[in-house]
Amino acid sequence: MMAAHERPREEPQPVHQVHEFRVPWLALASVAATIAAASAIVLGIGDTLDGDGPPGRLLPLQAASPPATPPAGRVGHAEAGPPESPETRMHDALVRLRLSVDQGVEAGDVRGDAGLDLTAAIERILDRLWSPPGHRRADVTFLHQRIAVRTREGAIAGHRADELHLILDRAS
Protein backbone atom coordinates (compact mmCIF):
# COMPACT_ATOMS: atom_id res chain seq x y z
CA MET A 1 0.00 0.00 0.00
CA MET A 2 0.91 3.50 -0.50
CA ALA A 3 1.22 5.97 2.32
CA ALA A 4 -0.31 9.39 1.99
CA HIS A 5 2.97 11.20 1.84
CA GLU A 6 4.42 8.97 -0.87
CA ARG A 7 4.13 9.85 -4.45
CA PRO A 8 2.91 7.23 -6.80
CA ARG A 9 5.67 5.39 -8.49
CA GLU A 10 5.93 5.93 -12.14
CA GLU A 11 6.82 3.02 -14.27
CA PRO A 12 9.98 3.70 -16.26
CA GLN A 13 9.14 4.58 -19.79
CA PRO A 14 11.04 2.68 -22.47
CA VAL A 15 13.77 4.83 -23.93
CA HIS A 16 13.56 5.02 -27.66
CA GLN A 17 17.06 4.75 -28.93
CA VAL A 18 17.80 6.76 -31.99
CA HIS A 19 20.27 4.97 -34.20
CA GLU A 20 22.28 7.44 -36.13
CA PHE A 21 23.39 6.25 -39.57
CA ARG A 22 26.97 7.28 -40.17
CA VAL A 23 28.36 7.11 -43.66
CA PRO A 24 31.89 5.71 -43.69
CA TRP A 25 33.22 8.30 -46.16
CA LEU A 26 36.72 6.92 -46.25
CA ALA A 27 35.45 3.43 -47.06
CA LEU A 28 33.19 4.79 -49.81
CA ALA A 29 36.06 6.81 -51.29
CA SER A 30 38.26 3.69 -51.27
CA VAL A 31 35.59 1.66 -53.05
CA ALA A 32 35.11 4.41 -55.66
CA ALA A 33 38.86 4.66 -56.25
CA THR A 34 39.16 0.89 -56.60
CA ILE A 35 36.31 0.78 -59.11
CA ALA A 36 37.86 3.62 -61.13
CA ALA A 37 41.28 1.93 -61.16
CA ALA A 38 39.83 -1.43 -62.13
CA SER A 39 37.85 0.18 -64.96
CA ALA A 40 40.96 1.91 -66.27
CA ILE A 41 42.91 -1.35 -66.21
CA VAL A 42 40.14 -3.28 -67.94
CA LEU A 43 39.82 -0.61 -70.62
CA GLY A 44 43.59 -0.50 -71.12
CA ILE A 45 43.94 -4.27 -71.40
CA GLY A 46 40.90 -4.42 -73.65
CA ASP A 47 42.62 -2.09 -76.10
CA THR A 48 45.64 -4.40 -76.29
CA LEU A 49 43.48 -7.47 -76.81
CA ASP A 50 41.62 -6.18 -79.84
CA GLY A 51 44.55 -6.96 -82.14
CA ASP A 52 44.87 -3.46 -83.61
CA GLY A 53 48.37 -2.95 -82.13
CA PRO A 54 51.59 -3.33 -84.05
CA PRO A 55 52.58 -6.90 -84.94
CA GLY A 56 54.81 -8.59 -82.41
CA ARG A 57 53.59 -6.38 -79.57
CA LEU A 58 53.34 -8.31 -76.32
CA LEU A 59 50.36 -8.05 -74.05
CA PRO A 60 51.14 -6.57 -70.62
CA LEU A 61 51.08 -9.90 -68.79
CA GLN A 62 53.17 -11.60 -71.48
CA ALA A 63 55.79 -8.88 -71.29
CA ALA A 64 56.07 -9.24 -67.52
CA SER A 65 56.17 -13.05 -67.48
CA PRO A 66 59.15 -15.29 -68.17
CA PRO A 67 58.78 -17.70 -71.08
CA ALA A 68 57.06 -20.98 -70.23
CA THR A 69 59.84 -23.00 -71.83
CA PRO A 70 63.47 -22.06 -72.32
CA PRO A 71 64.30 -20.76 -75.80
CA ALA A 72 65.55 -23.33 -78.28
CA GLY A 73 69.27 -24.01 -78.01
CA ARG A 74 69.53 -23.08 -74.32
CA VAL A 75 68.61 -26.35 -72.67
CA GLY A 76 71.56 -27.66 -70.70
CA HIS A 77 74.33 -26.08 -72.79
CA ALA A 78 75.58 -22.70 -73.87
CA GLU A 79 74.55 -22.64 -77.52
CA ALA A 80 73.53 -19.31 -78.93
CA GLY A 81 69.77 -18.87 -78.98
CA PRO A 82 67.70 -17.05 -81.56
CA PRO A 83 68.88 -13.55 -82.46
CA GLU A 84 67.67 -10.76 -80.20
CA SER A 85 65.00 -8.40 -81.42
CA PRO A 86 65.94 -4.72 -81.87
CA GLU A 87 63.72 -3.84 -78.93
CA THR A 88 65.49 -6.35 -76.68
CA ARG A 89 68.93 -5.09 -77.74
CA MET A 90 67.80 -1.52 -77.11
CA HIS A 91 66.34 -2.39 -73.71
CA ASP A 92 69.46 -4.27 -72.62
CA ALA A 93 71.74 -1.47 -73.81
CA LEU A 94 69.68 1.18 -72.00
CA VAL A 95 69.73 -0.82 -68.77
CA ARG A 96 73.53 -1.24 -69.08
CA LEU A 97 73.84 2.47 -69.88
CA ARG A 98 71.83 3.43 -66.80
CA LEU A 99 74.00 1.14 -64.66
CA SER A 100 77.19 2.63 -66.09
CA VAL A 101 75.92 6.18 -65.42
CA ASP A 102 75.13 5.19 -61.81
CA GLN A 103 78.57 3.64 -61.40
CA GLY A 104 80.12 6.77 -62.92
CA VAL A 105 78.34 8.98 -60.39
CA GLU A 106 79.52 6.75 -57.53
CA ALA A 107 83.11 6.73 -58.85
CA GLY A 108 83.14 10.49 -59.48
CA ASP A 109 83.43 10.07 -63.26
CA VAL A 110 79.95 11.56 -63.78
CA ARG A 111 78.82 14.69 -61.97
CA GLY A 112 75.56 14.23 -60.03
CA ASP A 113 73.47 16.62 -62.12
CA ALA A 114 74.67 15.00 -65.34
CA GLY A 115 73.83 11.58 -63.90
CA LEU A 116 70.30 12.72 -63.09
CA ASP A 117 69.90 14.25 -66.55
CA LEU A 118 71.05 11.10 -68.36
CA THR A 119 69.09 8.77 -66.10
CA ALA A 120 65.88 10.75 -66.70
CA ALA A 121 66.45 10.64 -70.47
CA ILE A 122 67.14 6.88 -70.34
CA GLU A 123 63.98 6.28 -68.30
CA ARG A 124 61.85 8.26 -70.79
CA ILE A 125 63.22 6.16 -73.64
CA LEU A 126 62.66 2.91 -71.72
CA ASP A 127 59.04 3.95 -71.18
CA ARG A 128 58.43 4.15 -74.94
CA LEU A 129 60.69 1.32 -76.04
CA TRP A 130 58.16 -0.14 -78.47
CA SER A 131 58.14 2.95 -80.65
CA PRO A 132 58.93 2.68 -84.38
CA PRO A 133 62.57 2.02 -85.39
CA GLY A 134 63.05 5.59 -86.59
CA HIS A 135 62.15 6.92 -83.16
CA ARG A 136 64.50 4.45 -81.47
CA ARG A 137 67.37 5.59 -83.71
CA ALA A 138 66.56 9.21 -82.86
CA ASP A 139 66.59 8.33 -79.16
CA VAL A 140 70.05 6.75 -79.46
CA THR A 141 71.29 9.82 -81.35
CA PHE A 142 69.83 12.07 -78.66
CA LEU A 143 71.64 10.15 -75.92
CA HIS A 144 74.93 10.30 -77.87
CA GLN A 145 74.47 14.07 -78.12
CA ARG A 146 73.64 14.44 -74.39
CA ILE A 147 76.76 12.47 -73.48
CA ALA A 148 78.90 14.59 -75.83
CA VAL A 149 77.51 17.87 -74.44
CA ARG A 150 78.01 16.77 -70.83
CA THR A 151 81.54 15.57 -71.64
CA ARG A 152 82.43 18.98 -73.17
CA GLU A 153 81.06 20.64 -70.02
CA GLY A 154 83.40 18.51 -67.92
CA ALA A 155 80.51 16.71 -66.25
CA ILE A 156 81.56 13.29 -67.62
CA ALA A 157 85.13 12.01 -67.64
CA GLY A 158 86.48 11.08 -71.08
CA HIS A 159 86.96 7.36 -70.37
CA ARG A 160 83.42 7.10 -68.93
CA ALA A 161 81.99 8.93 -71.95
CA ASP A 162 83.76 6.46 -74.26
CA GLU A 163 82.20 3.58 -72.33
CA LEU A 164 78.71 5.16 -72.52
CA HIS A 165 79.04 5.71 -76.29
CA LEU A 166 80.21 2.12 -76.74
CA ILE A 167 77.20 0.79 -74.84
CA LEU A 168 74.87 2.89 -77.01
CA ASP A 169 76.58 1.66 -80.19
CA ARG A 170 75.56 -1.88 -79.20
CA ALA A 171 71.92 -0.82 -78.96
CA SER A 172 71.41 -0.67 -82.70
Side-chain angles (χ1 to χ4, degrees), residues 5-47:
H5 66 280
E6 289 183 28
R7 293 192 347 200
R9 262 188 181 188
E10 293 182 20
E11 290 293 318
Q13 296 293 324
V15 178
H16 295 286
Q17 292 180 344
V18 177
H19 292 285
E20 197 174 301
F21 179 71
R22 293 185 178 185
V23 178
W25 293 108
L26 187 57
L28 288 175
S30 298
V31 169
T34 303
I35 291 171
S39 299
I41 290 171
V42 168
L43 291 174
I45 290 175
D47 287 344

Side-chain angles (χ1 to χ4, degrees), residues 34-117:
T34 303
I35 291 171
S39 299
I41 290 171
V42 168
L43 291 174
I45 290 175
D47 287 344
T48 62
L49 294 175
D50 64 6
D52 290 341
R57 179 176 173 201
L58 293 177
L59 298 176
L61 292 178
Q62 288 175 326
S65 302
T69 59
R74 295 196 182 181
V75 179
H77 44 82
E79 287 182 18
E84 289 183 324
S85 70
E87 293 84 6
T88 302
R89 277 196 314 274
M90 179 75 150
H91 176 268
D92 292 348
L94 290 172
V95 169
R96 282 192 304 271
L97 185 69
R98 184 177 55 197
L99 178 63
S100 184
V101 168
D102 291 343
Q103 290 170 343
V105 170
E106 289 176 19
D109 298 338
V110 178
R111 205 170 59 205
D113 63 317
L116 288 174
D117 176 42

Side-chain angles (χ1 to χ4, degrees), residues 144-167:
H144 276 299
Q145 291 170 347
R146 292 303 308 152
I147 293 167
V149 166
R150 291 305 205 150
T151 303
R152 281 193 302 274
E153 293 173 352
I156 300 175
H159 69 279
R160 183 64 68 169
D162 292 342
E163 179 182 321
L164 298 177
H165 286 296
L166 183 61
I167 291 169

